[in-house]
Amino acid sequence: MKSKILFIGVVVFSLLTITTLIRCQLDPDQRVSDTRAVNSLLVDQLILDPSENSSHLIGDVIAVDGLVDEVNYLNDRATIILRGYDTEKKAVICDMQESQRGLMDSLEVGQAITVKGVLKGFLHDVILLNCIISNPTNHD
Amino acid sequence: MIKQFFALLLIATAILPDSNEKIIARQGRVSFFSYTTVENIQADNNQVLSIIDLEDGTIAVSMLMNAFVFEKALMKGHFNESYVESDLYPKGIFEGQIIDFDPNQQGEQIKMIDGVFTMHGVPNELSIKTKIENNNGTYVLTGTFETLVEDYDIKVPPLLSKNISDRIEVNFRFEFQPYEN
């Protein structure tokens, strides 16, 4: 009986270790592409009260709906700046994956899109990294 | 003569910045490098915020420590979890003053910025040389400086001490736009 418990303990410990290692090594770009079930928010929701609504989501992959305010390639990075429907002065800065450059060229200012990426936090704007343009999902 | 005066006034108003004006960079770039014989480590943060008050030359910079991008995921893990503890100290903040800054001077000017950079909860005084390019009211600040890991109470485990330099090189570049707050 003792050896059985020991065996199960070793298996569980090994699985946890392997899962942690895989998680550490996982490419964040791949993580965003692979994650299907994500919290979906409007730009306005993220901006208006980040500490109340979304600070607990930092580090998570989220989907954000908004309007294209700007597409730029500053510092050799592909970036989409999303603005809300109600708020103008703050925005969501989405640092896009390299694979998205082709899609970005066809975007127009004011176009409604959904972007999926890792929420990093809040400065003047909301910062999302490893982003891809995604299909709309259901809102919370 | 009066027409010429008003024409000049109009041009000056268009070119010269408003003395109360603040400018903002929302996608500033800060990179750091650690060179050792074992390995070189580089990380980039392209979403660094900076605001300058043109009236008095004060400058503030704020960056999310977890937004640095590393070549290897493992390096990023060590950086955030073991060194800068970005869960506890999510932001690096610099507050300083550009010495003898003339916002009306067109072209390049080299200036010193004196201020305090707080990272990992530890404030550290810095004096940084910067090149400021002013092209008709569009300002770009660039520069490089070195700082010591130990100045921020960051403890590198002995096993990894050969992989991480004591002296970190930091590069920055900010493109500023008028700030409407």
Side-chain angles (χ1 to χ4, degrees), chain A residues 24-26 28 58 70 72 74-77 79 81 89-91 93 95 119-125 127 129-130, chain B residues 24 26-29 46-49 51 62-64 66-69 73-74 76 81 91 173 175 177 179-181:
Chain A
C24 283
Q25 298 288 347
L26 191 63
I58 289 173
E70 186 183 329
N72 70 58
L74 194 65
N75 296 324
D76 287 331
R77 303 295 305 176
T79 305
I81 298 181
K89 301 214 167 145
K90 295 186 177 187
I93 298 176
D95 186 66
L119 177 64
K120 287 294 172 177
F122 308 89
L123 292 172
H124 178 274
D125 306 289
I127 311 296
L129 298 192
N130 311 100
Chain B
I24 184 169
R26 298 151 78 193
Q27 288 176 262
R29 181 185 190 116
N46 291 285
Q47 291 79 30
V48 180
L49 172 70
I51 295 172
S62 181
M63 68 193 85
L64 295 171
N66 66 357
F68 276 95
V69 177
L74 204 58
K76 186 178 184 176
E81 288 157 25
K91 289 179 185 173
R173 184 179 190 280
E175 274 190 40
Q177 300 170 332
Y179 179 36
E180 298 162 14
N181 56 352

Side-chain angles (χ1 to χ4, degrees), chain A residues 63-109:
Chain A
V64 183
D65 285 359
L67 304 170
V68 175
D69 191 43
E70 186 183 329
V71 173
N72 70 58
Y73 299 93
L74 194 65
N75 296 324
D76 287 331
R77 303 295 305 176
T79 305
I80 295 175
I81 298 181
L82 281 185
R83 65 180 164 84
Y85 293 88
D86 300 323
T87 49
E88 286 184 358
K89 301 214 167 145
K90 295 186 177 187
V92 176
I93 298 176
C94 310
D95 186 66
M96 307 300 292
Q97 297 184 16
E98 282 300 308
S99 63
Q100 301 295 296
R101 284 187 183 241
L103 290 170
M104 289 169 64
D105 291 339
S106 62
L107 293 176
E108 291 177 5
V109 171

Side-chain angles (χ1 to χ4, degrees), chain B residues 51-61 94-101 111-116 126-130 132 141:
Chain B
I51 295 172
I52 296 176
D53 187 334
L54 294 177
E55 193 172 17
D56 58 10
T58 52
I59 179 169
V61 177
F94 177 84
E95 290 173 304
Q97 176 112 30
I98 309 171
I99 308 300
D100 298 329
F101 176 44
K111 297 292 173 189
M112 293 305 293
I113 305 175
D114 290 343
V116 175
L126 290 176
S127 193
I128 301 162
K129 189 157 90 174
T130 184
I132 304 171
L141 264 70

